[in-house]
Amino acid sequence: DIVMTQTPLSSPVTLGQPASISCRSSQSLVHSDGNTYLSWLQQRPGQPPRLLIYRISNRFSGVPDRFSGSGAGTDFTLKISRVEAEDVGVYYCMQATQFPYSFGQGTKLEIK
Amino acid sequence: EVQLLESGGGLVQPGGSLRLSCAASGFTFSSYAMSWVRQAPGKGLEWVSAIGGSGVGTNYADSVKGRFTISRDNVKNTLYLQMSSLRAEDTALYYCAKRTGDSWGQGTLVTVSS
C-alpha cells in the first residue's frame, strides 16, 4: 500500500505571507497510463473536503490562482502565494494512482 | 450543479449492520466512478471504497474488506455502502465523493456503540 507523508503537520502563517506544504509518497505515483494521480484537498472547519488541485498541478474549477501544485514521482508541494483568512483549515494530499487510495495525515494551516 | 446527499447513518451496536445511501444529481451519474471516504471524530480522511461507473469494478480498504459492500443504482442515481459486522472503530462521518474527490457530500454520521 502507498503511504502518504505530509510535512509540516501544523503551519502557522501570517496573513499575506506564503505557505508551503510537502507530501511524499512511499512509491512513485506515476500510473501506467502516464498520469500522476496526486490531488490536494482543503477542509475548512466544519465543512466537507474540497478539491483544490488534481494531477499534481491542475487547479480545480473555482480555485483561486494563489494555490499552486508542483512535484513529480514521489515528492509534491502545495503552495499558497499569499495566505488569506479563508484559507484556514486542514490540507490533505491524496493519491489515486493505486488501490487502496490513500491520504496524507493532514496539515493544519492557521493564522499567527 | 453537482449535489451529493448522504443518508442512512445512525447509532448501531457492535456487530450490527447499516446501509448508507448517496443521492446524486447535477451530472451524468453512470459516467463516473464514485467513492466513499470516512473521517473519525477529530481525525483525518480515510478512503473506504470505490466503484466504477457501470458498477463493475469495486475496491476496498483493508480495514473494511469482507465487511462492507459498495454498489450503485444508475437508474436511481444512488450510491450505496452496505456495512456489516460493525466495530467501534468504524465510527465516523461517511462522505460520498464523485470520482476521487472532485465533489463531496456533507456526510452522514455512523456511531457504533453499545
Side-chain angles (χ1 to χ4, degrees):
Chain A
D1 296 0
I2 298 176
V3 176
M4 306 297 288
T5 303
Q6 289 181 226
T7 54
L9 298 184
S10 178
S11 179
V13 182
T14 301
L15 286 174
Q17 293 300 302
S20 180
I21 300 169
S22 294
C23 176
R24 177 167 289 178
S25 57
S26 59
Q27 55 188 273
S28 173
L29 296 187
V30 179
H31 193 275
S32 56
D33 65 8
N35 289 308
T36 299
Y37 295 100
L38 184 283
S39 303
W40 290 96
L41 301 107
Q42 175 196 61
Q43 188 174 32
R44 291 171 172 152
Q47 295 295 312
R50 165 200 179 198
L51 179 65
L52 296 177
I53 303 285
Y54 63 98
R55 276 188 270 131
I56 302 178
S57 59
N58 297 276
R59 266 190 306 277
F60 190 60
S61 174
V63 174
D65 61 8
R66 64 178 183 274
F67 290 94
S68 64
S70 63
T74 62
D75 287 284
F76 307 93
T77 303
L78 174 70
K79 291 183 179 177
I80 309 173
S81 59
R82 292 174 304 279
V83 171
E84 298 188 4
E86 65 178 17
D87 299 337
V88 165
V90 181
Y91 291 78
Y92 296 92
C93 60
M94 175 192 175
Q95 71 82 16
T97 291
Q98 179 185 116
F99 287 111
Y101 296 163
S102 48
F103 294 90
Q105 318 96 298
T107 296
K108 188 173 186 178
L109 184 76
E110 50 195 7
I111 306 300
K112 276 184 190 173
Chain B
E1 179 194 2
V2 173
Q3 291 197 6
L4 299 170
L5 184 62
E6 301 94 338
S7 61
L11 175 63
V12 60
Q13 292 189 338
S17 299
L18 214 53
R19 187 176 84 156
L20 306 183
S21 300
C22 171
S25 61
F27 64 103
T28 305
F29 183 67
S30 59
S31 296
Y32 294 94
M34 297 291 294
S35 300
W36 286 99
V37 174
R38 68 185 181 183
Q39 186 168 35
K43 302 296 185 183
L45 301 172
E46 179 187 14
W47 177 81
V48 172
S49 183
I51 186 168
S54 63
V56 174
T58 58
N59 286 274
Y60 300 91
D62 288 345
S63 57
V64 307
K65 202 173 292 184
R67 301 187 300 122
F68 289 12
T69 302
I70 191 172
S71 62
R72 63 192 297 160
D73 184 330
N74 286 345
V75 173
K76 294 182 177 179
N77 289 348
T78 302
L79 175 72
Y80 301 101
L81 186 68
Q82 178 68 48
M83 305 186 295
S84 60
S85 302
L86 283 162
R87 307 166 179 166
E89 54 265 36
D90 295 318
T91 293
L93 188 59
Y94 284 73
Y95 294 105
C96 71
K98 176 170 167 271
R99 289 206 291 192
T100 56
D102 58 39
S103 294
W104 296 69
Q106 291 295 314
T108 186
L109 181 63
V110 173
T111 303
V112 184
S113 175
S114 55

